Amino acid sequence: MPTNCAAAGCATTYNKHINISFHRFPLDPKRRKEWVRLVRRKNFVPGKHTFLCSKHFEASCFDLTGQTRRLKMDAVPTIFDFCTHIKSMKLKSRNLLKKNNSCTPAGTSNLKSNISSHQVLLEHSYAFRNPMEAKRRIIKLEKEIASLRRKMKTCLQKERRATRRWIKATCLVKTLEANNILPKGTSEHILPTALSSIALEDFKILEQDQQDKALPSL
């Protein structure tokens, strides 16, 4: 039987007189991993007695056709109040500092405050410290995208050049074979199956098409 909710900052506990249901983490690894990701708790590993209460699911996630309220197979928790959780952690940190302020040096108190703030940032690594950091991150990502686009363009150009070389080589081999300069069946041995089965006339059309594409447009 569930005792409390595993969501960060949620104080809901089991009470049979309250219309709140508790739902165990799914056994399916893929769905279980998705639930853990949405909960956003650092180093969180749910056990077989770990539950989330119904407050964290939308109404469309429930199957109400039976006598009990059950989750649908594709239901995922999407309702969380992370801001309240962060405020609660900061409030606890302040109370702890006030309590120890009378018997600890100012330097030690400041050190504990810095450590506490660092822990909050680590636990909520998806958040940026300030707008400038977010802007720098966006600029960095834009540069990475531009670099990947240039690499992709270079790869496409290399692919087109390689294709033209294959077409020219294949057309040459088939022409020599058609003029009895090379023995019959040579193309079947030295060319890939996909190329050797194409007729010479089709290769000439392909070669002409590649030449037309290579010409600069006026």
Side-chain angles (χ1 to χ4, degrees):
M1 181 178 293
T3 56
N4 57 353
C5 179
C10 183
T12 305
T13 56
Y14 176 75
N15 189 334
K16 64 180 180 179
H17 301 295
I18 300 177
N19 188 26
I20 295 178
S21 56
F22 284 77
H23 305 276
R24 198 187 307 270
F25 276 69
L27 296 176
D28 178 66
K30 187 175 180 181
R31 290 187 61 217
R32 189 182 187 87
K33 184 177 180 181
E34 180 65 10
W35 279 38
V36 171
R37 185 186 70 82
L38 292 170
V39 168
R40 293 184 183 177
R41 285 181 56 181
K42 185 182 178 183
N43 299 327
F44 174 61
V45 180
K48 62 180 180 179
H49 298 299
T50 307
F51 298 84
L52 288 179
C53 70
S54 54
K55 289 182 179 180
H56 305 291
F57 297 89
E58 297 181 6
S60 59
C61 294
F62 295 98
D63 181 4
L64 304 177
T65 56
Q67 294 181 351
T68 59
R69 179 165 56 178
R70 293 176 296 178
L71 285 176
K72 295 179 181 179
M73 291 299 296
D74 58 346
V76 291
T78 55
I79 303 173
F80 297 97
D81 191 359
F82 294 113
C83 293
T84 301
H85 176 51
I86 294 174
K87 289 178 182 177
S88 175
M89 290 184 65
K90 288 182 177 179
L91 182 61
K92 289 179 181 178
S93 177
R94 290 196 194 102
N95 292 337
L96 182 62
L97 287 172
K98 287 179 181 178
K99 184 178 179 180
N100 296 333
N101 190 40
S102 59
C103 57
T104 57
T108 307
S109 178
N110 291 335
L111 178 61
K112 288 185 177 180
S113 177
N114 291 335
I115 293 174
S116 178
S117 300
H118 182 63
Q119 288 174 345
V120 171
L121 288 170
L122 286 176
E123 187 168 341
H124 301 276
S125 57
Y126 53 86
F128 292 105
R129 292 181 179 84
N130 52 62
M132 289 303 298
E133 184 178 349
K135 185 177 180 180
R136 286 194 295 269
R137 179 62 175 163
I138 291 171
I139 293 173
K140 181 180 178 182
L141 290 173
E142 287 177 345
K143 289 181 179 178
E144 290 178 359
I145 292 172
S147 176
L148 289 173
R149 284 177 176 169
R150 288 193 296 270
K151 290 180 180 178
M152 184 174 68
K153 183 178 179 181
T154 302
C155 289
L156 290 173
Q157 290 173 345
K158 289 181 179 179
E159 182 185 7
R160 284 194 290 269
R161 286 196 293 267
T163 302
R164 286 197 293 268
R165 292 193 192 103
W166 266 111
I167 291 174
K168 287 181 178 180
T170 305
C171 188
L172 176 62
V173 171
K174 285 184 173 288
T175 301
L176 295 174
E177 195 177 37
N179 294 331
N180 296 322
I181 298 174
L182 289 176
K184 295 292 183 180
T186 302
S187 60
E188 297 178 1
H189 295 288
I190 66 174
L191 296 175
T193 306
L195 295 176
S196 61
S197 60
I198 302 176
L200 176 61
E201 290 75 13
D202 295 333
F203 266 107
K204 290 182 178 180
I205 295 173
L206 285 172
E207 185 179 20
Q208 184 62 43
D209 184 58
Q210 292 291 328
Q211 290 176 353
D212 293 342
K213 289 181 180 179
L215 290 174
S217 56
L218 297 177

